Amino acid sequence: MVLERVWKGLLAVAILGLGGFVLVQAGFVSPPWGPDGGTARVVDNESDDEPTAVIDVEVATSRQEKYTGLSDHESLEPGNGMLFVYEQEQSRTFVMREMDFPIDIIYIGADHEITSIHHARAPGPDENGNNIEYPGRGKWVLEVPRGYTNETGIEVGDRVEIDLESNQTIIPGISASAGALAPIATSGELGARRAVERVTYFDS
């Protein structure tokens, strides 16, 4: 009887663990070991001076986090932002769904250079924001308060260094090594994520 209960308990734990693994692999939830935040340093490519801006970021990695984006925030202070992390660079479209405030949307390519910047308006009283679209191409997308890029001098062509709380650093020109973040996935994970990323993302 006791042995039967132990086996049932182990089976239940195994099923729960497998369910959680499948959700992580499919991108619906973030892995518990994934970063929740970090820092994005914007550096002028033509200058070795101090960074143009240093931004404290929340990190969105799961499908649900990317879908929600900043729509569950009432505001965003200067120097803060949200970073959307993807497996690869490709064309994407962000929308202002249910946003309460305007933002700047910064697309960052796989080479860590800013490819485009949009000054996105907030939806009006009779809008839900789904039709307010801002396309671009990037492996990362950074959202900051509207006007912050103009105030700090962030421009297309600047490079972005990303330091995550998980002690993973993404620095232009450095290949994957200890301390450098590189996409690590099983073939099943890659297949699932590629299937998802073929669809245009509609984030915050």
Side-chain angles (χ1 to χ4, degrees):
M1 183 68 72
V2 173
L3 193 57
E4 183 180 353
R5 289 178 180 172
V6 170
W7 278 111
K8 285 183 178 179
L10 290 174
L11 181 60
V13 170
I15 291 173
L16 288 173
L18 180 60
F21 178 78
V22 169
L23 289 173
V24 168
Q25 296 300 311
F28 288 101
V29 297
S30 294
W33 59 87
D36 293 323
T39 303
R41 299 173 69 253
V42 183
V43 181
D44 186 340
N45 256 336
E46 299 179 357
S47 173
D48 293 327
D49 296 335
E50 291 295 311
T52 304
V54 178
I55 305 159
D56 292 326
V57 296
E58 297 177 49
V59 179
T61 55
S62 74
R63 188 175 183 182
Q64 183 59 49
E65 289 170 341
K66 292 171 184 173
Y67 182 88
T68 303
L70 289 169
S71 63
D72 61 352
H73 290 53
E74 295 182 357
S75 63
L76 193 62
E77 295 298 319
N80 292 329
M82 178 169 281
L83 181 72
F84 298 78
V85 179
Y86 299 94
E87 290 286 348
Q88 59 189 357
E89 176 182 329
Q90 68 180 52
S91 296
R92 309 181 188 281
T93 299
F94 274 45
V95 301
M96 295 294 286
R97 181 193 310 104
E98 299 180 2
M99 286 289 291
D100 292 329
F101 55 94
I103 55 175
D104 285 350
I105 302 173
I106 305 169
Y107 283 91
I108 306 165
D111 60 358
H112 302 272
E113 289 193 6
I114 295 175
T115 59
S116 62
I117 299 173
H118 294 286
H119 305 292
R121 69 176 180 87
D126 299 323
E127 295 179 298
N128 59 20
N130 284 318
N131 295 324
I132 307 175
E133 302 180 352
Y134 296 95
R137 186 172 183 85
K139 181 176 179 184
W140 299 276
V141 180
L142 176 61
E143 295 181 344
V144 295
R146 179 162 175 165
Y148 184 76
T149 55
N150 289 337
E151 293 168 7
T152 57
I154 296 174
E155 299 178 340
V156 171
D158 288 350
R159 72 180 188 273
V160 181
E161 301 172 355
I162 301 165
D163 189 8
L164 303 180
E165 287 180 350
S166 56
N167 295 323
Q168 297 171 317
T169 302
I170 308 170
I171 300 177
I174 296 181
S175 60
S177 61
L181 177 63
I184 300 174
T186 64
S187 58
E189 179 182 10
L190 287 174
R193 291 193 177 182
R194 283 173 182 161
V196 170
E197 291 203 355
R198 276 198 293 270
V199 181
T200 300
Y201 276 98
F202 290 93
D203 299 304
S204 70

